């Protein structure tokens, strides 16, 4: 049934003295909003509005339970909401010492929100949630154009309840904006294929350029799919299609390059240091640490645990690099619920459309979404540099657009739910039985239809397998997404869903035998590697091949990374912990350092560390200083900056490994009276710190008086020892 076209002609007006608007406030316009365009089924627009409303509820309800979420980015938003210079460059602190290790577009959105509504949990996280709702709506609009509203709704539902989407659209990492921009670009490409108009391709290129300003080269992973889809299926001649793609490439370079050019042309002394780089270069950051280094693991100064100074090559974060990585325990529950179905659907659709015209829309859709999935999925699977499970949210639109094979989805859901045997144990048999029933009804449908005596009975037989199919396909990811939305997530490594056997603690995790900063999800690290702690307590869960407990005391064992928190590494289970920032002494250990944050699951490495009121008051009372304090690493600096709302110098940037400032530069800052305190907490950061950070820490210890404030060692840089 289709909705009739809305009659907008003026009827004879029985009351000329009364305006039509007065009689029918918004009448036809409101009906048009609720019913949708002419020719669309009457149920389509109300269903879309319901989908968007439920998605908003999933992403918004209880959003503040995660607090500052990733306080590294929250601290940068605090800086950008008070300094326009920090806003433009993406500085971590308002005094513009160093930037975050990403391009700043995602920060711009949150910072504008904070400037309008004030800096708080909601002003940071609501924009992320709204970006998620918008991405679902854009995916619906894109799929509907070629496959109809029913397919669009199914794609929207599948994306909305993908667990990693429910995680990242409630979090303040750059991925939320990145996914929205890539999905908008996919919509623009479909419009270009429909119309052949260059402006749609230019828009797509512009959106991908803005994606670069959000998360650098990751945005470019969809380019091969978009270019091939238009080159094959675009309506214009081959020559015109080629120059249109060149125009799109030019728009992309312009959209990404203007900011890069300004940063490169600004003298180093007039801008902050480029965090994450070793040469204070935005190009090195884009092409090295956040670019090719992610592919081959050669990431100088990154958060790595492999040998030889190469970062991220360890399987600790996301499993071994292989074609099976996306299905493993670290990533499977995040993204792969419908991945087998999507891959099979892509192959079948290519086969079905093999004899179609060059501009066949079915083939074009597979080239666009299938190319997106294959290229991005292959890169994520085989890269040996740093990759975290939440990166896979970039696959959600492509998987949702392609998925549809119910029996396969139910079988894979059986496997994924088997990794959380103690969580909703009844759901596993329900999913597989429902999937089998749906498949059986589909196979037996023609015979059963002949037995049905009425048209109503035949319709019921047609609807029942569809309902069962949707239940089998979507019950697992929906349950995971609801659990994710109900759980607090903070720190640098959020993870969706319940605890996974053989992975880390609640929210997934990664294999290994070390603890991470506690009070959030427990995650293991490779045997022999502990992380520095900043308080008491440890995460929850069992690591593989081993796990460890971060208790009180000094971590002991095989070679590990220095920590400043108390903790002892022992084999076995880890339990939740609570603590304050940096309580205890430094130590080495294989058992992992304890963390310093309040409880909760689904995070790791940093997070909502509690700062004592005494230390907060001390830092607030530093008017006249460029930086209230300095400390090693942004993970240590962020909670101090958020608590005091005063600039904190993050020595060495995010990991404490960037060569900024040098010891001589730091000495000049101190001599000029720019820094009041040095906080001796988490001295080497979880990246292990750098030679420069170690030199500065030793110099401060040897030259200035200290006292303990709120469990932390605070050096007063205005009070030398002699």
């Amino acid at each position: 049934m289709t909705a009739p076209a809305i009659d907008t002609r003026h009827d004879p007006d029985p009351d000329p003295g009364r305006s039509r608007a007065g009689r029918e406030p918004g009448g036809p316009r409101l009906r048009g909003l609720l019913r949708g365009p002419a020719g669309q089924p009457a149920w389509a627009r109300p269903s879309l509005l319901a989908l968007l409303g439920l998605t908003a509820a999933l992403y918004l309800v209880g959003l503040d339970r995660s607090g500052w979420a990733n306080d590294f980015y929250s601290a940068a938003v605090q800086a950008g909401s008070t300094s326009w210079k920090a806003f433009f460059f993406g500085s971590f602190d308002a005094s513009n010492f160093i930037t975050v290790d990403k391009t700043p577009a995602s920060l711009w959105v949150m910072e504008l929100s904070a400037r309008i509504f004030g800096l708080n949990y909601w002003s940071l996280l609501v924009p992320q949630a709204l970006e998620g709702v918008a991405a679902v709506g854009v995916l619906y609009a894109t799929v509907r154009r070629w496959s109809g509203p029913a397919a669009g709704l199914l794609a929207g539902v599948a994306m909305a309840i993908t667990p990693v989407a429910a995680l990242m659209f409630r979090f303040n990492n750059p991925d939320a904006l990145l996914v929205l921009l890539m999905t908008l670009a996919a919509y623009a490409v479909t419009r270009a294929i429909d119309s052949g108009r260059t402006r749609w391709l230019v828009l797509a290129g512009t959106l991908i350029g803005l994606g670069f300003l959000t998360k650098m080269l990751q945005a470019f992973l969809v380019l091969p799919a978009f270019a091939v889809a238009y080159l094959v299926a675009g309506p214009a001649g081959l020559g015109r299609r080629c120059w249109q793609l060149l125009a799109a490439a030019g728009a992309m370079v312009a959209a990404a390059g203007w900011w890069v050019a300004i940063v490169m042309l600004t003298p180093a002394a007039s801008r902050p240091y480029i965090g994450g780089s070793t040469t204070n270069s935005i190009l090195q950051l884009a092409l090295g640490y956040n670019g090719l280094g992610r592919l081959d693991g050669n990431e100088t100064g990154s958060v790595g645990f492999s040998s030889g100074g190469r970062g991220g090559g360890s399987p600790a974060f996301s499993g071994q690099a292989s074609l099976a990585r996306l299905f493993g325990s670290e990533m499977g529950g995040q993204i792969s619920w419908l991945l087998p179905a999507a891959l099979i659907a892509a192959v079948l659709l290519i086969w079905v459309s093999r004899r179609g015209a060059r501009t066949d829309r079915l083939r074009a859709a597979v080239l666009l979404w299938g190319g997106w999935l294959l290229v991005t999925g292959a890169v994520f699977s085989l890269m040996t540099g740093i990759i975290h499970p939440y990166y896979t949210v970039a696959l959600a639109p492509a998987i949702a657009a392609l998925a549809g094979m119910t029996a396969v989805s139910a079988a894979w859901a059986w496997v994924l739910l088997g990794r959380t045997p103690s969580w909703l144990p009844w759901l596993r048999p329900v999913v597989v039985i429902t999937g089998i029933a749906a498949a059986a009804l589909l196979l037996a449908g023609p015979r059963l239809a002949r037995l049905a005596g009425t048209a109503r009975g035949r319709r019921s037989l047609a609807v029942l397998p569809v309902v069962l199919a949707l239940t089998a396909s979507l019950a697992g990811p929906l349950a995971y997404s609801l659990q994710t939305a109900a759980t607090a997530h903070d720190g640098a490594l959020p993870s969706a869903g319940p605890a996974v056997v053989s992975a880390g603690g609640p929210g997934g995790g990664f294999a290994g035998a070390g603890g991470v900063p506690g009070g959030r999800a427990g995650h293991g690290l490779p045997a022999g590697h502990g992380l520095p702690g900043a308080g008491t307590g440890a995460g929850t869960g069992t690591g593989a091949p081993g796990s460890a407990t971060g208790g009180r005391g000094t971590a002991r064992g095989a070679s590990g990374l220095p920590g400043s928190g108390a903790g002892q590494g022992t084999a076995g289970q880890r339990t939740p912990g609570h603590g304050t920032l940096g309580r205890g002494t430094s130590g080495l250990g294989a058992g992992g350092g304890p963390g310093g944050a309040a409880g909760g699951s689904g995070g790791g490495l940093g997070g909502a560390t509690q700062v004592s009121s005494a230390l907060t008051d001390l830092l607030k009372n530093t008017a006249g200083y460029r930086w209230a304090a300095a400390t090693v690493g942004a993970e240590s600096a962020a909670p101090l900056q958020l608590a005091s709302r005063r600039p904190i110098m993050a020595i060495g940037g995010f990991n404490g490994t960037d060569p900024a400032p040098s010891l001589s530069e730091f000495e000049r800052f101190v001599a000029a009276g720019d820094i009041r305190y040095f906080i001796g907490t988490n001295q080497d950061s979880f990246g292990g710190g750098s030679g420069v950070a170690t030199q500065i820490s030793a110099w401060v210890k040897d030259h200035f008086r200290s006292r303990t404030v709120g469990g932390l060692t605070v050096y007063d840089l205005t009070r030398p020892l002699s």
Side-chain angles (χ1 to χ4, degrees), residues 551-706:
R552 301 182 66 88
T554 300
R556 304 181 181 91
S559 60
L561 298 176
S564 62
Q568 181 175 2
T570 59
Q573 300 262 332
R574 283 171 284 151
T575 55
H578 302 266
T580 57
L581 181 65
R583 181 175 300 166
T585 59
S586 62
L588 301 174
S601 65
L605 295 186
T609 303
Q610 302 299 310
V611 179
S612 69
S613 59
L615 181 56
T616 300
D617 292 340
L618 186 71
L619 295 174
K620 285 182 177 180
N621 190 28
T622 55
Y625 291 88
R626 288 184 65 187
W627 294 278
T631 191
V632 174
E635 287 297 292
S636 295
L640 300 172
Q641 184 165 298
L642 288 167
S644 67
R645 305 295 173 93
R646 293 282 295 139
I648 306 294
M649 177 184 286
I651 296 172
F654 179 64
N655 307 326
T657 57
D658 296 345
S662 66
L663 177 57
S664 60
E665 288 172 331
F666 188 80
E667 290 176 355
R668 287 196 296 271
F669 284 133
V670 173
D674 289 333
I675 312 170
R676 178 63 193 269
Y677 299 107
F678 182 91
I679 311 295
T681 238
N682 202 12
Q683 298 266 341
D684 293 299
S685 181
F686 69 74
S690 68
V692 170
T694 302
Q695 292 170 14
I696 292 174
S697 301
W699 179 79
V700 170
K701 182 178 180 181
D702 291 342
H703 289 83
F704 295 94
R705 300 179 186 275
S706 67

Side-chain angles (χ1 to χ4, degrees), residues 286-674:
L287 300 177
Y289 174 60
N290 281 329
L292 299 179
R294 298 289 175 127
L295 299 180
D296 61 14
N298 188 14
E299 299 164 290
T300 303
S302 72
V303 192
F305 300 95
S306 54
S307 60
R310 293 163 64 87
S314 160
F317 293 122
S318 303
Q320 293 283 359
S322 72
L323 291 177
R325 175 184 266 175
L326 295 178
F327 301 96
S329 58
E330 294 84 1
M331 290 187 172
Q334 311 294 300
I335 190 63
S336 73
W337 295 90
L338 300 175
L339 179 55
L343 293 172
I344 293 174
V347 173
L348 292 178
L349 292 174
I350 283 290
W351 174 258
V352 169
S353 62
R354 69 191 186 279
R355 294 177 180 171
R358 178 182 63 80
T359 56
D360 182 82
R361 293 295 181 264
L362 185 60
R363 185 193 298 116
V366 177
L367 291 175
L368 190 150
W369 299 113
W372 177 337
L373 175 58
L374 290 177
V375 173
T376 306
V379 170
F380 286 176
S381 296
L382 300 177
M383 60 192 286
T384 57
I386 291 175
I387 177 173
H388 303 307
Y390 67 79
Y391 288 9
T392 58
V393 70
L395 295 168
I399 292 175
L402 289 169
M405 300 293 293
T406 303
V408 175
S409 299
W412 181 236
W414 170 269
V415 174
L416 292 176
L417 291 170
R419 295 173 180 171
T420 55
S422 61
W423 181 76
L424 300 184
W426 54 268
L427 184 59
R428 196 182 186 203
V430 166
V431 166
V432 74
I433 291 172
T434 304
I436 293 173
L441 283 173
L442 288 173
L443 292 174
R447 179 171 297 182
L448 293 175
R450 289 195 294 269
L451 298 177
T454 64
R456 183 177 181 180
R458 287 189 291 272
R459 285 196 300 269
S460 298
L461 287 173
V463 170
L464 183 58
V466 173
V467 173
L468 293 175
L470 292 175
T471 301
S473 298
L474 303 179
L478 175 60
Y480 258 56
S481 293
L482 292 174
Q483 192 276 347
T484 299
T487 302
H489 297 85
D490 56 40
L493 305 179
S495 187
V500 176
V501 174
S502 82
F510 40 84
V516 297
R520 291 165 297 281
H523 297 283
L525 287 173
H529 292 280
L531 290 178
T536 61
T540 64
T542 303
S547 60
T549 300
R552 301 182 66 88
T554 300
R556 304 181 181 91
S559 60
L561 298 176
S564 62
Q568 181 175 2
T570 59
Q573 300 262 332
R574 283 171 284 151
T575 55
H578 302 266
T580 57
L581 181 65
R583 181 175 300 166
T585 59
S586 62
L588 301 174
S601 65
L605 295 186
T609 303
Q610 302 299 310
V611 179
S612 69
S613 59
L615 181 56
T616 300
D617 292 340
L618 186 71
L619 295 174
K620 285 182 177 180
N621 190 28
T622 55
Y625 291 88
R626 288 184 65 187
W627 294 278
T631 191
V632 174
E635 287 297 292
S636 295
L640 300 172
Q641 184 165 298
L642 288 167
S644 67
R645 305 295 173 93
R646 293 282 295 139
I648 306 294
M649 177 184 286
I651 296 172
F654 179 64
N655 307 326
T657 57
D658 296 345
S662 66
L663 177 57
S664 60
E665 288 172 331
F666 188 80
E667 290 176 355
R668 287 196 296 271
F669 284 133
V670 173
D674 289 333

Side-chain angles (χ1 to χ4, degrees), residues 67-79 107 110 119 124-125 172 638 641-642:
W68 295 118
N70 189 338
D71 54 10
F72 172 62
Y73 291 117
S74 296
V77 171
Q78 183 268 334
L107 297 177
M110 292 183 283
L119 182 70
L124 265 67
L125 297 179
N172 60 332
Q641 184 165 298
L642 288 167

Side-chain angles (χ1 to χ4, degrees), residues 271-288:
R271 60 166 173 79
Y273 184 94
I274 303 301
S277 72
T278 59
T279 60
N280 198 10
S281 166
I282 187 65
L283 287 183
Q284 190 213 22
L285 177 65
L287 300 177

